Amino acid sequence: MKNALSDYFKAAVSVDNVVFGFEKTGLKILLIYRGAEPFRDQWALPGDLISVDIDLVSSAEKVLQKLTGLEKIYMEQLQTFGKVNRHPYGRVFTVSYFALIKIEDAHLNPSSWAEEAAWFPINEIPNLPFDHNEILEFAKSQLKLRIRRQPIGFELLPKLFTLTELQNMYESVLETQFDVRNFRKKILFLDFITDTGKKENCVAHRPAKLFKYNAKRYQKLIENGYELAL
Amino acid sequence: MKNALSDYFKAAVSVDNVVFGFEKTGLKILLIYRGAEPFRDQWALPGDLISVDIDLVSSAEKVLQKLTGLEKIYMEQLQTFGKVNRHPYGRVFTVSYFALIKIEDAHLNPSSWAEEAAWFPINEIPNLPFDHNEILEFAKSQLKLRIRRQPIGFELLPKLFTLTELQNMYESVLETQFDVRNFRKKILFLDFITDTGKKENCVAHRPAKLFKYNAKRYQKLIENGYELAL
DNA sequence: CCAAAAGTGTTTAAATTACACCCATGG
DNA sequence: CCATGGGTGTAATTTAAACACTTTTGG
């Protein structure tokens, strides 16, 4: 018994983004407070249904551009979820993405489907609708893997950062602690980052040197990957 | 300008599988010769459109079960491709999977949409329709990454195998050569495999010991991952 | 001069690499 | 007895881990 071709063209596809940000207090996730059904008035991952005339990637980017006001956002696709009954309105597949954002650059601008948007500490995430909690767990584990293969951690930091900030970021993401001296040795050896000659000021302790990432080396490492044994 | 909800439920979703097998002559990919439009009479990845009442994963498994006659197949999801015009018949998203198969256990049984199915050496893949070549390249690079994190390589080998076969398999997948002694040292140290006490016979040279994988350890390593520095 | 965080090297242990010869079987 | 692939150990090098004190600034 073979279906007619038209029987297959009845699904919807959505994107759902797991957006990571980093502050001194730790890793954060961006959630929106849903302003529309289903699951109105619940915190959820920012996402949207895809229009037939928009590419998958563009669709994921558009959601975040609207929401954060940022133009260039680092995004990677995660997994696609497609259980028959995962959405109450019909057959909806969702493609999940993760994004890394500099929190201080994002000006949150909840759009039509969201009444509010807010950063949640990674360990204080409420119950989310659909399979969003599952998506989030997957995203966390992927971020841990990918941050060791590519220097994507910079996407979470301001343009200029101290070595301590860099270490805190890695420690938050990987949920471990590193020895200060060994950490610096490895990072400086990898040639990720460049000393800008500038320093922190107005701090009540010895001011730290400010570094920026090394753009040429970044590209090479993004393309080739590496293995960061931290 | 907001679309009506029904405007979103007009997409189709398919699965496409990149099926790896291994023989002495190297790594192979399973392709089918399309018996239906579009791209009839071309070699392509085995895949199918998803019915509205079947889960995504089941759908991918079903394609391969029909095609190979195998019940339990090791599969993992790769990426989803969703450019607007990737399919000539309308908006079709495709979710790609990779699968690892013991070639000698598979009894190929091309079904309705395929006139033929065959194993192609990994370096002799023809031009494929849709974005299948892109999917294949992605699958190859993912296999390289994942085989170093999890002991999934066994899925490509017969139940009993020699250390030389194991090494050849790793060398094919990773496209490198290893020193025989160092390879054995590492593998035996990881405690992946158990000596069955059996030996090859009817070979015109010293018969090799036959090993099997260590099921308990396999489970632990699948769950926790590791880093194979080969 | 005190508090607070930045910065810096050496020693020890572990892991990885390089490398060459004898062994068991079938024909 | 020969051809074929199977099997084995050690030394040298590289990489990772452990560990504590001095420096600079603001208040």
Side-chain angles (χ1 to χ4, degrees), chain A residues 160-227:
Chain A
L160 300 185
F161 50 83
T162 68
L163 290 173
T164 306
E165 283 166 347
L166 186 70
Q167 181 170 350
N168 288 339
M169 184 273 294
Y170 273 104
E171 289 180 341
S172 292
V173 170
L174 295 171
E175 297 180 293
T176 18
Q177 302 273 102
F178 302 117
D179 175 88
V180 185
R181 282 167 289 189
N182 293 338
F183 178 84
R184 291 173 179 222
K185 223 180 301 169
K186 255 177 234 168
I187 291 292
L188 292 172
F189 173 78
L190 279 170
D191 199 25
F192 272 179
I193 58 176
T194 317
D195 187 343
T196 60
K198 293 176 191 160
K199 293 196 173 185
E200 282 183 316
N201 48 16
C202 307
V203 288
H205 55 78
R206 177 172 177 175
K209 292 180 183 174
L210 290 169
F211 290 78
K212 61 179 178 184
Y213 79 84
N214 178 339
K216 274 190 199 163
R217 184 102 176 120
Y218 178 86
Q219 261 316 314
K220 207 171 276 177
L221 290 170
I222 281 280
E223 282 156 23
N224 305 344
Y226 56 95
E227 204 53 60

Side-chain angles (χ1 to χ4, degrees), chain A residues 11 52 54-55 77 80 84 91, chain B residues 11 52 54-55 77 80 84 91:
Chain A
V52 281
I54 302 188
D55 284 344
Q77 195 186 117
T80 296
V84 170
R91 188 70 193 270
Chain B
V52 281
I54 301 187
D55 284 344
Q77 196 186 117
T80 297
V84 170
R91 187 70 194 270

Side-chain angles (χ1 to χ4, degrees), chain B residues 21-188:
Chain B
F22 176 72
E23 281 182 332
K24 283 186 189 61
T25 51
L27 203 60
K28 299 239 155 58
I29 296 284
L30 184 57
L31 297 180
I32 55 120
Y33 195 72
R34 289 178 65 90
E37 295 293 344
F39 300 110
R40 187 181 174 135
D41 297 328
Q42 285 193 41
W43 290 100
L45 295 177
D48 203 3
L49 291 167
I50 302 177
S51 300
V52 281
D53 56 349
I54 301 187
D55 284 344
L56 175 58
V57 190
S58 322
S59 201
E61 285 167 355
K62 217 178 71 180
V63 169
L64 284 192
Q65 283 168 2
K66 274 195 195 165
L67 184 57
T68 62
L70 299 174
E71 266 305 307
K72 286 202 166 184
I73 298 179
Y74 178 85
M75 297 186 75
E76 276 191 71
Q77 196 186 117
L78 294 168
Q79 291 275 112
T80 297
F81 296 77
K83 291 224 174 100
V84 170
N85 292 314
R86 60 171 296 284
H87 196 294
Y89 286 6
R91 187 70 194 270
V92 182
F93 294 82
T94 197
V95 184
S96 58
Y97 281 81
F98 81 73
L100 303 180
I101 278 193
K102 303 179 206 306
I103 287 188
E104 64 279 12
D105 290 0
H107 300 293
L108 298 182
N109 171 35
S111 53
S112 55
W113 30 263
E115 287 185 352
E116 204 182 329
W119 292 100
F120 284 69
I122 192 76
N123 293 319
E124 300 171 24
I125 304 294
N127 273 332
L128 306 175
F130 307 105
D131 38 16
H132 285 188
N133 286 105
E134 192 186 340
I135 294 177
L136 181 55
E137 285 310 308
F138 186 77
K140 279 165 63 177
S141 69
Q142 283 296 305
L143 176 57
K144 283 189 194 177
L145 288 180
R146 295 189 191 186
I147 205 176
R148 292 166 156 267
R149 297 206 78 79
Q150 295 183 308
I152 57 178
F154 298 126
E155 307 287 347
L156 294 167
L157 294 176
K159 278 216 183 84
L160 300 185
F161 50 84
T162 69
L163 291 173
T164 306
E165 285 167 345
L166 186 70
Q167 181 171 349
N168 287 340
M169 183 273 292
Y170 272 104
E171 288 180 342
S172 294
V173 171
L174 295 172
E175 297 181 290
T176 18
Q177 301 272 101
F178 302 117
D179 175 89
V180 184
R181 281 168 290 191
N182 294 338
F183 178 83
R184 293 176 177 219
K185 221 181 304 169
K186 255 178 234 169
I187 291 291
L188 292 173

Side-chain angles (χ1 to χ4, degrees), chain A residues 47-107:
Chain A
D48 203 3
L49 291 166
I50 301 177
S51 300
V52 281
D53 56 349
I54 302 188
D55 284 344
L56 175 58
V57 190
S58 320
S59 201
E61 285 167 356
K62 216 178 70 178
V63 169
L64 284 194
Q65 283 168 3
K66 274 196 196 166
L67 184 57
T68 62
L70 298 173
E71 266 306 307
K72 286 202 166 184
I73 297 179
Y74 177 85
M75 296 186 77
E76 277 192 70
Q77 195 186 117
L78 294 168
Q79 291 275 112
T80 296
F81 296 78
K83 290 226 174 100
V84 170
N85 291 313
R86 60 171 295 285
H87 196 293
Y89 287 6
R91 188 70 193 270
V92 181
F93 294 82
T94 198
V95 184
S96 58
Y97 282 81
F98 82 73
L100 303 181
I101 278 195
K102 304 180 204 308
I103 287 188
E104 63 279 13
D105 290 358
H107 300 291

